[in-house]
Structure formats: structure tokens, C-alpha cells
Amino acid sequence: MDYVSLPTADWHQVVNRYYRKREVYSMGWAPGEVDFSKLMAVAAPYGGPVAVTRDEKTIQAVTSGQLRPTLAMYSSSGTLLSSFIWDKGRLVGMGWTENERLICVLEDGTVLIYSVFGELILQFSMGRDCKEQQVMDVQVWSTGLVVLTHARQFYVVTDLENPRPRPLADPGLDENPTSWIVIDPLYTPSNAVEVFVATTSGTILVVHQQGVNDCVLNQGPFTKMAVSPTGKFLACFTSTGDLWVYPTDFRSELYRFPTQSTLTPTQMAWCGSDSIVMLFPKTEYLLMVTNGDWVRFALDDPVCIVGEVDGLRILSNSTCEFLQRVPDAVEEIFAVGSTAPAATLYDAAEHFERKSSKADEHIRSIKTELPAAVSQCIAAAGHEFSYPLQRQLLKAASFGKCFLEFHSPKEFVEMCKTLRVLNAVRHYEIGIPLTYEQYKQLTPQILVDRLVNRHQHLLAWRICDYLELKADKVMVHWASTKVKQSDTDDREIAQMIVQKLEKVSGVSYAEIASAAYKFGRPKLATMLLDYEPRAGDQVPLLISMNEDELALSKAIESGDTDLMYLALLYLKRTHQQRDFLRIVHDKPVAMDLLIAYCRQQDTELLKDLFYFFNQPEETAAVAALESYQERDLDSRLKRMHAALKDYSENKEFQFQARQTEEQIKLLLLQRELEASYNEKYVDLSLSDTLYRLCLAGESKRATKLRTEFKVPDKRFWWIRIKSLSETRDWDGIEKLSKEKKSPIGYEPFVEACLDGRNTQEAMKYIPKIVAPDKRAEYYLMVGAVREAVDVALKEKDPDIIMRLRTKTTNRDHLAFLESALDQFQKR
């Protein structure tokens, strides 16, 4: 049909609206290859593929070569995508996901997910209950499915990527539902799955996980239901032949239409969001109902109908057609007798091509409305499938733009780009009859993903390049497919893939390598991984490929300690200890990390490591460290003796041996002290042990211990002064100061007295302080400001007085110091 000269030839008026049914494709399959009257068929929305298999519910003549059913998948143009013998069991139902995966549900609750090429992607079970109760029916939506069992229970899977079957609330049905349907969670108020179940009592139950709600209807029982693409409306067909339309919240009744048919429709779907189309058994027409009015569309063959967001796709044995409400922009331009500005602009463009003066008259008549007319022509072009009509409408828009001083070209350019993409995917070899509205909802990126899933890599890449989208996923999928399908030598195919991808940013070679490894080409996988720049992707995959030594080397090159630990721990877990240590020995960085890990987590491995590499001093250090993890003193001493033995075998570690020996001696002595004094001594340091003995008045024993362990005089005097100060033994402190000249000076004596707030006792030791400035400062601290000044006068050093002024806030002391400073200045 010439849509340019007769664009309204296939229009049908229903009330005040127009609908059109246009042929999109003549089916590419052979005559008689597909007969929808004998097949179970399900088609994916958004111009997606159709899956067909023999309908076991119908009686059919079967030839000897057709004993086993075949499941086939075709594009919307009838091009065969895949076909395979169905031998999995009794098929209850099928459906498509949003990413064009075919869901097949068996009677025993097994769910099989296939690609469009018949590759089994995932298989799971709906659970033991479903297997026991047997599945009666299934409904699939974009991301999940619900099954109904013969026990009248519903089970749901909301995420097909990670399937976890769960039961919905028990609807309490005594009889099988007359019909049921699922609402996509995207369109429910709770964002959860809701199942509308029609009962024999005439009402509808809303079943979800939290419970069951009765909509309290009496117009039923409903034998067929369909939800609008937006999820806002529900069409229900009754056993008496009435069609009822409700909002999905059931707060009102939108309208009722009596079809006067006692037969239940075999198929019912929405045409956009304002019309319902029904196919009745043994009829040769489609009945479309909209707002209480109707129209019939004759059929030449059995059909499969698919509701779309803006229309209805009709697949028959010979054609693919699209039924839709005529878009407003198209109606304004082509409606008979239309005087809309866009229609006038379109006529003006035609007159201009015929070189008629009427073109100027038409343009002048819509001068003020020309911008809107241009936009309408651009929008109308987007809604047309006919290439000539698209060009004619865009020419009209371009003609109108010439008369506008200021008009952004963005709208026109974007539509040209969109039409170029749409025309490419609508080509019969691709077979995706997307409309402009569907394309906007689907988005270009998802369209590219669907092309990739169909292995249309070249077209997907060209669209990405044309629309300036990221093409890395396209190229990765192409390379992964190439790896699976090519018999070329590994080195050649690796070089070819790298040459193709070297200019594409963001490509994950790890993903391609993973596909190669899964396909049984580990050598190719290893080659490809050399080009993976992200070590975080590279190392885990090498580990999964059992290339553990290479994984460790790559982790070390990356400098990422987490990856190094990942590789090390995998090696440790999968190798004999000797082999593991041999691998690590040649890699100093890995060796250092392993030692650090073992010090915190695995001291046994650490000892084995040092023993393996003949490092007795490190083995001894580990034994010494382990000894202090023992709570029992005998066990600790045993480990320390082992450390002492290792240290003693090498002359270079005599210092460590001596220190270990002294620690053993101290522990033995502390055990004796605990037994004698019934106090805690074990685990105290030598200084703390001496301090505690001094506190206990055991100065002789402390002196003996000090001699035995060669404690320096200075440290021992500090300990004695501290203990005497703690017990306020001023006589003992004085006695100590007179034993001999103090090796630590007399400041500690003064500090001890000051800590005990005994200034009188402190005055005994201040004169013995050698440094004048310190002596003066201590005099000031005990309140003897005159003596402090005398020190400065004796030393003839006014700086001492100046420093003293900064050490006090006492006004009398400050005044005396100022007076003394004046005396210095007068001299």
C-alpha cells in the first residue's frame, strides 16, 4: 500500500478516535512452518522474538518425524533464531523477561531459562512443595514469575538472576480460579508482587505475601483478565459475555461493554492503554473495544497478539502487523479536512515541490503557528514506519524551518538520528519492529543490549558509535562469542581480538578470558589476561583458572596487598607446604607479607617457614614470642628453653641467648618470690620486681637481685628513692643520701620530698644540687625565695632571677625578685 499518497487508507474511526492496522513484515518462515492454531506461542514485548512449541492441549495429527516436540524462537519478521528438540518434560507455560530470556516452567516446578539461541542459561526449582503439588499454570513478568499449583497455592520468584522461591499468602480457594493475572511490582503501591485471582463467587482476590484482600465485586465470575501496559487498568471478561474495565485499585468501575458472546476469548490484550482487543474461538476477526464502542478487524490466519505500550503486535502465519491508535501528530496532519497548522505546512511543502504559488500562501496563513507546525511534522515522522512518508514529513519540517529566524535544530537532528536507528533495527533481517514510543521507553542502551544478545554486534557497535554510547560491552560480547565459535589457533585469535579492541576504552579482557576458560581454552585465556590492566579482575580469574603462581606474580606487580594476600592464601590452601614455601621463597615481597601474616595468624607455619629456610634465630624468636602466649609458667619456660637452645647454636646470637637465659632466671626467681610473699611477681619487669621488693622492705634481697642481674647503680638508686618516697620513709631517704655520693644527683631526692609534700625535708638536699639555676628553681618551689636570690647573687647571674620570674605567680615572690633584679642593675 502507498502510504505516502494514501496515509489514511487503513484508518478506522472508533467514536472520535482513529486506529490503524499496518503490515510490518511478511513472515520469513516457510508456508506451513508455523501455524498458531496448533502451537503454544508467547512473544516478547518491545518488538521482541516469539517462541513457539507444539500445544499439547490440542489434538493434532503427528507424523513419524514429529513425535518429539520442537521449541523454536523467531524474530518478529519470522527469521529463525534457534530451534531444538524439547525433551525436558511437560511444559506448563512460557514467558519472556525484560532482557529477552525465555522462561520455561515444567509441571514439576523446574524453571529453565534460555537465550534466544536456545542456550540454557539457568535452571532452578520452585521448591519441594511445588514439586509435590505440581504446577497448574504460570505467569511471567519482566523480572520474575508466579506459579499456581494444583493445591491452589501461589509461589513467586521476584529476581530471576538470584532465584529464591517464596510462597504467597494462602488465598483459601475451594475451587480453581476462573482466571488470574500478575501485576508487575513496578506498578503496585507497595512495590511488591500482587496477583489478581478471579473466583467462582464473582469477586477478585488480591494475593500478596502479607495477606489476601477481597475486592468485593459481584460482576463475575471473570474468565479472562488483562492488565494495561501502565498497570493502571484491568480488563475483565465475564462468563456472561460482558467486558468490565476497572482501575487496579478497584475504587470504581470505568465502563462495561456487552460482547454478546458466551465464549471466553482465547487471547485478550491491551492496545496501548485505552483499548482492549479480544480473539474469540472459531472466529475470523479481532474485536477491539474502547470506551464502550467497538470495531472488528478481519483475520486471514490464526494469530498471536502481543500488547505493547502504544499498540498491539499481531503475529499471524503469514504477516506481522501493528495495530495502534493514530498518534495525535499524525492525525492532525493527515485527518480528512484537517486545517491544523501542521497539515497546512505539509500541504505547503507539497505545493513547493510542485512549484506552486500556494506554498507561499499556506506559509503566510500559519506564520505565527509555524514553530508548533514544524515540531508536529517532526513528531509525526517519528511515528511512521514508511521510509518515504518519514522523508516527506521531515522535508515539510525542514521547509517550515526556512521561514523561522530562530529555531533550534536539536529536535530535527535528534529525530533524524532516532529514525536512522529505528529503520536499521526494523529491517527484516534484524526483525525488531520498534515504534518511536517504545524506543523512548526502552532506551538506546537497552536496545543495544538486545542487539548484542542476538549477536548483531556490528549493528550494535555502529549504533553506539552513532549515538556516542559506550561500546565496551558490545566488543567484549563480540570477543567472547568469537572465542566460543572460532576454531582458529589461540595465538591468532588473541592477536585478532587485541587488534580489534586496542582502541576501545574500558574493555574488560578478564571477561573475555573468563569466557575462553569456560569454553575449554585456558591457554587463550592466559594470553588475553596479559592485556587486562585491572589487577583486581586479573588475579581472581587466574586463581580460578589454577594459574596460581602467575596470579601471585601479577598481584605483586600490581602492588595491591589485598590481592597478594588473596593469592598467597589460595596457594597455602591448595599446595603442599613444601611446594608452597618453595614458590614464595623466590618472591621477597610475598615472603615479607607471608611472614607478617603468620606472626599474627599462624605461628606454626612461621616456625616451619624459618626452619625450611634454615633461619634458627627467627625460629627462636617465634618460640620466645609463643612462650608469652602460654598461661602456664612451666609451658612458657619450656618454650623459652627451646628458644635458648636455638640462639646458643650460633655465635652471632650470643646477646639474644644471654637475654633469654636471664629472662628464664628472672621467671624462676619471680616464682620463688610469689611463693614466699604470696604476691604477684611473675611477668613483672626486673625494675618492677626490685621496686616491689623495696616496698616490702626486702632491701637486702633487692640488693642481691640487683647484683645478680647487674642492674646499673643509677637505675637501682631511682628504684630505691621511688619506693622510699612511696612509703614516706624520710629517714631512709636521708640514710640513702649519705651512703655515698649519689650517682643520679640530688634532684630526685628533692622531687621525692616534694611529691610527699615535705618541703622541710627537701631543704636538706637542695644545697647539694650542683647546677645553680636548678638549685635556685627548687628553692623557689619550696617557697625559699630569698635563698633562691642568694644563689643568683652568689653566682652574679641576673638571668637566674629573670628565669625565676617565669616560674611563679606569687605576687610577694615576684615583688622580691623585681627588687633583687633592680639591685643587680644598680651595681
Side-chain angles (χ1 to χ4, degrees):
M1 184 179 292
D2 185 0
Y3 288 113
V4 177
S5 58
L6 295 170
T8 61
D10 56 359
W11 289 20
H12 300 267
Q13 188 171 4
V14 184
V15 193
N16 57 348
R17 303 176 183 178
Y18 288 98
Y19 287 81
R20 61 184 180 184
K21 182 165 75 77
R22 291 191 170 182
E23 182 178 318
V24 182
Y25 301 115
S26 291
M27 285 307 192
W29 50 55
E33 181 180 349
V34 174
D35 184 353
F36 285 109
S37 65
K38 301 177 181 179
L39 297 172
M40 178 193 296
V42 59
Y46 295 98
V50 57
V52 297
T53 188
R54 189 167 69 202
D55 188 355
E56 301 294 343
K57 296 177 182 178
T58 61
I59 301 174
Q60 303 177 31
V62 179
T63 63
S64 59
Q66 297 176 328
L67 293 177
R68 301 170 73 184
T70 299
L71 195 153
M73 286 175 256
Y74 296 88
S75 71
S76 290
S77 60
T79 302
L80 181 64
L81 300 175
S82 65
S83 176
F84 57 92
I85 298 295
W86 182 258
D87 55 1
K88 304 297 183 182
R90 186 174 182 278
L91 185 64
V92 174
M94 301 185 294
W96 291 92
T97 67
E98 61 184 2
N99 52 1
E100 291 190 344
R101 299 281 190 254
L102 180 65
I103 310 298
C104 298
V105 182
L106 307 186
E107 192 175 37
D108 64 358
T110 301
V111 179
L112 306 166
I113 303 181
Y114 291 94
S115 72
V116 291
F117 294 103
E119 300 166 335
L120 182 61
I121 298 172
L122 182 64
Q123 177 176 335
F124 63 91
S125 172
M126 290 299 293
R128 185 177 61 185
D129 291 342
C130 284
K131 186 174 182 178
E132 292 174 353
Q133 298 170 15
Q134 296 285 287
V135 175
M136 180 195 306
D137 198 3
V138 61
Q139 296 273 353
V140 179
W141 78 91
S142 58
T143 59
L145 61 90
V146 176
V147 299
L148 170 64
T149 68
H150 284 280
R152 305 182 191 94
Q153 300 297 313
F154 292 94
Y155 296 86
V156 62
V157 169
T158 56
D159 183 2
L160 292 169
E161 299 294 330
N162 300 291
R164 294 181 180 178
R166 290 173 294 177
L168 295 180
D170 184 358
L173 299 175
D174 296 325
E175 299 179 74
N176 289 338
T178 54
S179 66
W180 65 284
I181 198 163
V182 177
I183 305 293
D184 192 315
L186 289 174
Y187 306 122
T188 61
S190 61
N191 291 327
V193 180
E194 292 184 357
V195 180
F196 290 171
V197 181
T199 67
T200 53
S201 64
T203 188
I204 292 178
L205 304 177
V206 180
V207 182
H208 44 83
Q209 281 191 286
Q210 284 68 40
V212 180
N213 300 328
D214 190 343
C215 298
V216 194
L217 303 178
N218 54 17
Q219 292 88 354
F222 303 108
T223 56
K224 199 76 173 178
M225 294 190 290
V227 179
S228 68
T230 59
K232 293 181 178 179
F233 308 112
L234 179 68
C236 303
F237 189 87
T238 70
S239 57
T240 57
D242 291 337
L243 177 67
W244 289 86
V245 178
Y246 304 94
T248 49
D249 59 8
F250 295 98
R251 293 182 179 177
S252 61
E253 302 165 3
L254 296 182
Y255 64 85
R256 165 185 170 271
F257 178 80
T259 64
Q260 298 178 354
S261 171
T262 57
L263 298 175
T264 299
T266 54
Q267 297 180 63
M268 184 167 76
W270 283 78
C271 177
S273 292
D274 56 3
S275 305
I276 302 101
V277 176
M278 292 171 284
L279 174 65
F280 291 93
K282 300 178 182 180
T283 58
E284 297 180 352
Y285 60 84
L286 288 173
L287 177 67
M288 187 180 75
V289 178
T290 176
N291 278 352
D293 207 344
W294 61 276
V295 64
R296 288 183 180 180
F297 295 97
L299 298 175
D300 298 323
D301 298 310
V303 297
C304 170
I305 60 177
V306 190
E308 301 281 8
V309 293
D310 60 341
L312 184 83
R313 192 154 36 109
I314 305 169
L315 301 167
S316 73
N317 295 352
S318 57
T319 61
C320 172
E321 298 174 298
F322 190 68
L323 172 63
Q324 69 172 154
R325 178 184 172 183
V326 176
D328 293 339
V330 176
E331 185 177 338
E332 279 192 14
I333 295 171
F334 295 119
V336 176
S338 174
T339 57
T344 304
L345 175 59
Y346 185 82
D347 289 341
E350 286 189 330
H351 285 299
F352 178 75
E353 286 188 352
R354 294 196 296 267
K355 299 182 180 180
S356 169
S357 60
K358 289 185 178 181
D360 183 59
E361 295 177 13
H362 286 334
I363 291 295
R364 289 177 183 276
S365 67
I366 58 169
K367 187 67 176 177
T368 57
E369 298 168 304
L370 194 54
V374 169
S375 295
Q376 287 291 77
C377 286
I378 293 172
H383 293 295
E384 295 297 334
F385 274 59
S386 167
Y387 301 163
L389 196 54
Q390 290 173 4
R391 284 195 293 269
Q392 199 70 17
L393 287 163
L394 289 174
K395 278 184 181 179
S398 182
F399 177 67
K401 286 198 304 174
C402 296
F403 299 94
L404 297 173
E405 293 185 15
F406 304 103
H407 189 271
S408 173
K410 182 178 179 180
E411 183 182 14
F412 185 86
V413 172
E414 288 297 321
M415 182 56 75
C416 289
K417 282 186 174 183
T418 299
L419 285 174
R420 188 173 180 185
V421 171
L422 288 174
N423 290 337
V425 299
R426 288 168 181 166
H427 192 273
Y428 75 92
E429 291 183 355
I430 307 300
I432 304 179
L434 274 181
T435 65
Y436 179 63
E437 287 298 325
Q438 293 169 22
Y439 175 74
K440 286 197 300 183
Q441 287 208 18
L442 192 65
T443 73
Q445 187 60 62
I446 295 178
L447 175 59
V448 168
D449 292 342
R450 292 192 171 191
L451 289 170
V452 167
N453 288 336
R454 295 194 189 191
H455 294 182
Q456 297 291 343
H457 300 106
L458 179 59
L459 178 57
W461 181 82
R462 285 176 173 171
I463 290 174
C464 288
D465 185 54
Y466 186 60
L467 298 180
E468 298 180 355
L469 303 174
K470 291 185 68 175
D472 55 311
K473 290 185 179 179
V474 176
M475 301 309 291
V476 166
H477 194 280
W478 166 80
S480 301
T481 306
K482 197 75 175 174
V483 164
K484 294 177 183 177
Q485 297 178 350
S486 176
D487 295 328
T488 313
D489 177 70
D490 287 347
R491 189 171 297 280
E492 290 182 20
I493 194 169
Q495 290 176 351
M496 179 185 67
I497 289 172
V498 171
Q499 288 174 0
K500 290 282 187 182
L501 303 186
E502 60 184 357
K503 294 182 181 179
V504 182
S505 61
V507 169
S508 172
Y509 284 93
E511 193 173 337
I512 306 169
S514 177
Y517 179 71
K518 290 176 181 177
F519 196 65
R521 305 182 75 166
K523 184 179 177 182
L524 175 59
T526 306
M527 291 179 185
L528 291 169
L529 274 176
D530 284 337
Y531 297 94
E532 175 55 60
R534 295 176 286 267
D537 294 334
Q538 190 181 43
V539 172
L541 183 56
L542 284 169
I543 289 174
S544 68
M545 292 166 54
N546 296 321
E547 295 287 346
D548 32 37
E549 290 191 49
L550 182 57
L552 180 58
S553 299
K554 294 294 184 183
I556 293 170
E557 288 175 14
S558 73
D560 188 327
T561 54
D562 289 340
L563 289 176
M564 285 186 255
Y565 274 127
L566 176 67
L568 278 171
L569 294 176
Y570 179 78
L571 282 165
K572 174 179 175 290
R573 189 172 63 251
T574 57
H575 285 68
Q576 294 290 334
Q577 189 177 90
R578 180 176 293 274
D579 296 334
F580 168 57
L581 295 177
R582 177 185 53 78
I583 294 169
V584 176
H585 181 248
D586 298 330
K587 300 172 176 61
V589 176
M591 189 73 169
D592 292 342
L593 279 177
L594 179 62
I595 291 172
Y597 166 79
C598 289
R599 288 191 191 281
Q600 295 183 3
Q601 303 288 338
D602 195 345
T603 53
E604 288 299 322
L605 176 60
L606 188 62
K607 286 192 294 185
D608 292 341
L609 183 151
F610 289 138
Y611 178 80
F612 184 81
F613 296 121
N614 193 24
Q615 296 180 4
E617 72 284 0
E618 296 292 351
T619 306
V622 173
L625 179 66
E626 281 186 325
S627 70
Y628 274 88
Q629 295 172 355
E630 297 284 354
R631 294 185 178 182
D632 181 61
L633 184 58
D634 289 331
S635 300
R636 182 185 304 177
L637 289 168
K638 184 178 179 181
R639 288 187 180 273
M640 293 195 75
H641 278 295
L644 176 61
K645 180 182 177 183
D646 289 333
Y647 280 133
S648 301
E649 289 176 354
N650 194 325
K651 293 182 179 180
E652 294 181 8
F653 303 104
Q654 291 305 305
F655 172 77
Q656 288 90 333
R658 188 165 56 252
Q659 294 300 311
T660 305
E661 186 177 8
E662 288 189 356
Q663 184 62 27
I664 293 171
K665 189 190 300 183
L666 178 61
L667 286 171
L668 291 170
L669 179 62
Q670 287 174 337
R671 181 161 64 179
E672 291 178 10
L673 292 172
E674 281 191 356
S676 300
Y677 299 106
N678 197 25
E679 287 188 30
K680 175 69 175 174
Y681 277 92
V682 174
D683 287 337
L684 293 179
S685 66
L686 178 58
S687 295
D688 288 342
T689 303
L690 290 169
Y691 175 69
R692 185 162 290 187
L693 285 171
C694 290
L695 280 179
E698 293 291 338
S699 56
K700 289 183 179 180
R701 196 157 189 177
T703 303
K704 181 182 178 182
L705 184 62
R706 172 250 176 183
T707 305
E708 190 173 347
F709 284 93
K710 298 178 182 179
V711 177
D713 276 354
K714 288 185 177 181
R715 192 199 305 180
F716 190 54
W717 274 61
W718 271 108
I719 292 170
R720 291 181 67 186
I721 291 171
K722 183 181 177 183
S723 64
L724 291 169
S725 173
E726 183 73 19
T727 58
R728 302 294 190 265
D729 187 357
W730 310 120
D731 293 337
I733 291 177
E734 185 175 1
K735 183 179 178 181
L736 177 63
S737 69
K738 293 177 180 180
E739 279 188 8
K740 63 178 182 178
K741 184 179 179 180
S742 172
I744 58 174
Y746 290 93
E747 288 93 334
F749 289 85
V750 177
E751 290 288 351
C753 294
L754 292 177
D755 287 344
R757 300 188 180 185
N758 192 337
T759 57
Q760 184 179 355
E761 194 69 25
M763 288 291 289
K764 294 179 182 180
Y765 308 107
I766 294 175
K768 296 181 180 183
I769 297 174
V770 177
D773 54 341
K774 284 288 184 182
R775 195 186 323 142
E777 186 176 329
Y778 279 117
Y779 273 130
L780 182 64
M781 289 173 68
V782 299
V785 66
R786 186 175 298 278
E787 285 80 355
V789 171
D790 287 344
V791 172
L793 293 173
K794 184 177 180 181
E795 296 294 328
K796 298 179 181 180
D797 187 355
D799 290 341
I800 292 177
I801 298 177
M802 295 179 69
R803 283 195 293 273
L804 291 175
R805 287 192 309 173
T806 64
K807 302 292 185 181
T808 182
T809 57
N810 188 296
R811 292 183 180 181
D812 294 337
H813 290 176
L814 286 171
F816 190 82
L817 291 171
E818 290 290 343
S819 174
L821 191 60
D822 290 341
Q823 290 180 20
F824 263 107
Q825 292 173 352
K826 289 178 181 178
R827 289 183 179 181

